[in-house]
Short mmCIF file of all heavy atoms in Angstrom, two decimals:
data_model
loop_
_atom_site.label_atom_id
_atom_site.label_comp_id
_atom_site.label_asym_id
_atom_site.label_seq_id
_atom_site.Cartn_x
_atom_site.Cartn_y
_atom_site.Cartn_z
N ALA E 78 12.80 -17.53 81.91
CA ALA E 78 12.17 -16.21 81.80
C ALA E 78 10.66 -16.30 81.89
O ALA E 78 10.00 -15.39 82.40
CB ALA E 78 12.59 -15.54 80.50
N LEU E 79 10.09 -17.41 81.43
CA LEU E 79 8.63 -17.60 81.45
C LEU E 79 8.18 -18.54 82.57
O LEU E 79 7.02 -18.92 82.65
CB LEU E 79 8.16 -18.14 80.09
CG LEU E 79 8.44 -17.21 78.91
CD1 LEU E 79 8.10 -17.90 77.60
CD2 LEU E 79 7.70 -15.89 79.05
N GLY E 80 9.12 -18.90 83.43
CA GLY E 80 8.84 -19.88 84.47
C GLY E 80 7.71 -19.51 85.40
O GLY E 80 6.87 -20.35 85.75
N ARG E 81 7.65 -18.25 85.82
CA ARG E 81 6.59 -17.85 86.74
C ARG E 81 5.22 -18.01 86.09
O ARG E 81 4.30 -18.56 86.69
CB ARG E 81 6.80 -16.41 87.18
CG ARG E 81 5.74 -15.94 88.14
CD ARG E 81 6.01 -14.53 88.62
NE ARG E 81 5.01 -14.14 89.59
CZ ARG E 81 5.08 -13.06 90.33
NH1 ARG E 81 6.11 -12.25 90.21
NH2 ARG E 81 4.12 -12.78 91.18
N ALA E 82 5.08 -17.54 84.85
CA ALA E 82 3.80 -17.66 84.16
C ALA E 82 3.42 -19.12 83.96
O ALA E 82 2.25 -19.51 84.15
CB ALA E 82 3.85 -16.94 82.82
N LEU E 83 4.38 -19.96 83.60
CA LEU E 83 4.10 -21.39 83.42
C LEU E 83 3.72 -22.03 84.75
O LEU E 83 2.76 -22.82 84.82
CB LEU E 83 5.32 -22.09 82.81
CG LEU E 83 5.60 -21.77 81.35
CD1 LEU E 83 7.00 -22.25 80.96
CD2 LEU E 83 4.55 -22.38 80.44
N ARG E 84 4.45 -21.70 85.80
CA ARG E 84 4.16 -22.27 87.12
C ARG E 84 2.77 -21.87 87.60
O ARG E 84 2.01 -22.69 88.12
CB ARG E 84 5.24 -21.82 88.11
CG ARG E 84 5.24 -22.56 89.42
CD ARG E 84 6.42 -22.17 90.31
NE ARG E 84 6.43 -20.76 90.61
CZ ARG E 84 7.31 -19.88 90.15
NH1 ARG E 84 8.27 -20.26 89.33
NH2 ARG E 84 7.24 -18.60 90.48
N GLU E 85 2.40 -20.58 87.40
CA GLU E 85 1.07 -20.13 87.83
C GLU E 85 -0.03 -20.83 87.04
O GLU E 85 -1.07 -21.19 87.60
CB GLU E 85 0.97 -18.61 87.68
CG GLU E 85 1.78 -17.88 88.73
CD GLU E 85 1.85 -16.37 88.52
OE1 GLU E 85 1.34 -15.88 87.48
OE2 GLU E 85 2.42 -15.69 89.40
N GLU E 86 0.20 -21.02 85.74
CA GLU E 86 -0.79 -21.74 84.92
C GLU E 86 -0.89 -23.20 85.36
O GLU E 86 -1.99 -23.77 85.43
CB GLU E 86 -0.42 -21.64 83.44
CG GLU E 86 -1.50 -22.10 82.50
CD GLU E 86 -1.16 -21.92 81.03
OE1 GLU E 86 -0.22 -21.16 80.70
OE2 GLU E 86 -1.83 -22.55 80.20
N LEU E 87 0.24 -23.82 85.67
CA LEU E 87 0.24 -25.20 86.16
C LEU E 87 -0.54 -25.30 87.47
O LEU E 87 -1.33 -26.23 87.66
CB LEU E 87 1.68 -25.69 86.38
CG LEU E 87 2.45 -26.12 85.15
CD1 LEU E 87 3.93 -26.26 85.47
CD2 LEU E 87 1.90 -27.43 84.60
N GLU E 88 -0.30 -24.36 88.37
CA GLU E 88 -0.98 -24.39 89.67
C GLU E 88 -2.48 -24.17 89.53
O GLU E 88 -3.27 -24.77 90.25
CB GLU E 88 -0.36 -23.35 90.61
CG GLU E 88 1.04 -23.74 91.05
CD GLU E 88 1.80 -22.63 91.76
OE1 GLU E 88 1.26 -21.51 91.92
OE2 GLU E 88 2.95 -22.88 92.14
N ALA E 89 -2.88 -23.34 88.56
CA ALA E 89 -4.30 -23.04 88.37
C ALA E 89 -5.03 -24.14 87.61
O ALA E 89 -6.19 -24.46 87.92
CB ALA E 89 -4.45 -21.71 87.63
N ASN E 90 -4.36 -24.74 86.61
CA ASN E 90 -5.05 -25.66 85.69
C ASN E 90 -4.52 -27.09 85.68
O ASN E 90 -5.12 -27.95 85.04
CB ASN E 90 -4.96 -25.12 84.26
CG ASN E 90 -5.49 -23.71 84.14
OD1 ASN E 90 -6.48 -23.36 84.76
ND2 ASN E 90 -4.82 -22.89 83.36
N GLY E 91 -3.37 -27.33 86.27
CA GLY E 91 -2.77 -28.66 86.21
C GLY E 91 -1.91 -28.87 84.97
O GLY E 91 -1.12 -29.82 84.91
N THR E 92 -2.06 -28.02 83.97
CA THR E 92 -1.23 -28.04 82.77
C THR E 92 -0.97 -26.59 82.36
O THR E 92 -1.64 -25.67 82.82
CB THR E 92 -1.91 -28.77 81.59
OG1 THR E 92 -3.11 -28.09 81.26
CG2 THR E 92 -2.20 -30.22 81.91
N ALA E 93 0.00 -26.42 81.47
CA ALA E 93 0.31 -25.09 80.95
C ALA E 93 0.73 -25.25 79.49
O ALA E 93 0.96 -26.36 79.01
CB ALA E 93 1.43 -24.45 81.76
N THR E 94 0.82 -24.13 78.79
CA THR E 94 1.24 -24.16 77.39
C THR E 94 2.34 -23.14 77.17
O THR E 94 2.17 -21.95 77.47
CB THR E 94 0.07 -23.87 76.44
OG1 THR E 94 -0.97 -24.82 76.70
CG2 THR E 94 0.50 -23.98 74.99
N LEU E 95 3.45 -23.61 76.65
CA LEU E 95 4.55 -22.77 76.21
C LEU E 95 4.38 -22.60 74.71
O LEU E 95 4.35 -23.59 73.97
CB LEU E 95 5.90 -23.43 76.52
CG LEU E 95 7.15 -22.73 76.01
CD1 LEU E 95 7.33 -21.38 76.68
CD2 LEU E 95 8.37 -23.62 76.24
N ARG E 96 4.21 -21.37 74.23
CA ARG E 96 3.95 -21.11 72.82
C ARG E 96 5.22 -20.57 72.19
O ARG E 96 5.69 -19.50 72.57
CB ARG E 96 2.78 -20.15 72.66
CG ARG E 96 1.53 -20.65 73.39
CD ARG E 96 0.30 -19.89 73.03
NE ARG E 96 -0.25 -20.37 71.77
CZ ARG E 96 -1.06 -21.40 71.64
NH1 ARG E 96 -1.41 -22.09 72.70
NH2 ARG E 96 -1.52 -21.76 70.46
N LEU E 97 5.78 -21.32 71.21
CA LEU E 97 7.04 -20.95 70.58
C LEU E 97 6.83 -20.33 69.21
O LEU E 97 6.02 -20.80 68.42
CB LEU E 97 7.92 -22.19 70.41
CG LEU E 97 8.34 -22.94 71.67
CD1 LEU E 97 9.18 -24.15 71.29
CD2 LEU E 97 9.08 -22.03 72.63
N ASP E 98 7.58 -19.29 68.93
CA ASP E 98 7.69 -18.71 67.60
C ASP E 98 9.07 -19.10 67.10
O ASP E 98 10.08 -18.57 67.58
CB ASP E 98 7.51 -17.19 67.65
CG ASP E 98 7.57 -16.53 66.28
OD1 ASP E 98 8.04 -17.18 65.31
OD2 ASP E 98 7.19 -15.35 66.19
#
Side-chain angles (χ1 to χ4, degrees):
L79 298 173
R81 181 177 183 170
L83 289 166
R84 192 174 59 250
E85 287 173 354
E86 192 177 344
L87 282 166
E88 289 169 0
N90 305 320
T92 62
T94 303
L95 175 66
R96 305 192 81 85
L97 299 179
D98 181 345

